[in-house]
Amino acid sequence: TLCPVKILASENFFYMMASEDAGKAGQFRKYRVDRIKRLEILPEEFPPPSRELIKKVIGTATTIWGVSEGKKIKITIKAEGAAADFLRSKEILPHQKVSRPAADGSVTVKAVIHHHMELVPLVLHWMPEITIIEPPELRAEAKSRIDAYLAKQKIRS
């Protein structure tokens, strides 16, 4: 039995945020709506979690990956060309701080994310115009994904 709290959209999928205890413990799980096999509305009611708790958990998330899991990862990226223009015009990462453009038009972006998947797809989408400066483990993860992709391409050639 779940207590649904919110429906979120991310990457063309809908997710239901829900808890087993009406959010009392502040623990919400994400369920992809298209994978729910059975839904039954029960006669019991539950008090919804407080707005403060929902704001704390969902916070400034810009994707489903950003829903707070308690950890925070400080990131710094450098963007050039069209990626720099894009990041200057729209808040893609939570509370992103974009530097003034350098002489070459590049910008440095700082933000705090909750999950690596808030950043890695953005980098892969805009490569080679985005570089992860910090933290090194996210830079290594992006490199690992690129290396794996290139290795598959060699096998198929």
Side-chain angles (χ1 to χ4, degrees), residues 57-120:
V57 173
I58 297 173
T60 58
T62 55
T63 71
I64 193 69
W65 297 106
V67 173
S68 177
E69 295 175 2
K71 60 184 175 180
K72 293 182 179 179
I73 306 166
K74 292 182 181 181
I75 61 107
T76 305
I77 59 176
K78 180 179 178 183
E80 305 170 45
D85 291 338
F86 180 69
L87 287 164
R88 281 197 332 260
S89 67
K90 186 174 183 182
E91 184 173 350
I92 301 300
L93 299 165
H95 295 299
Q96 73 184 27
K97 304 268 189 273
V98 181
S99 71
R100 291 183 184 202
D104 64 358
S106 67
V107 295
T108 300
V109 179
K110 294 182 181 244
V112 176
I113 61 174
H114 291 280
H115 193 283
H116 66 270
M117 285 298 289
E118 287 179 90
L119 180 62
V120 172

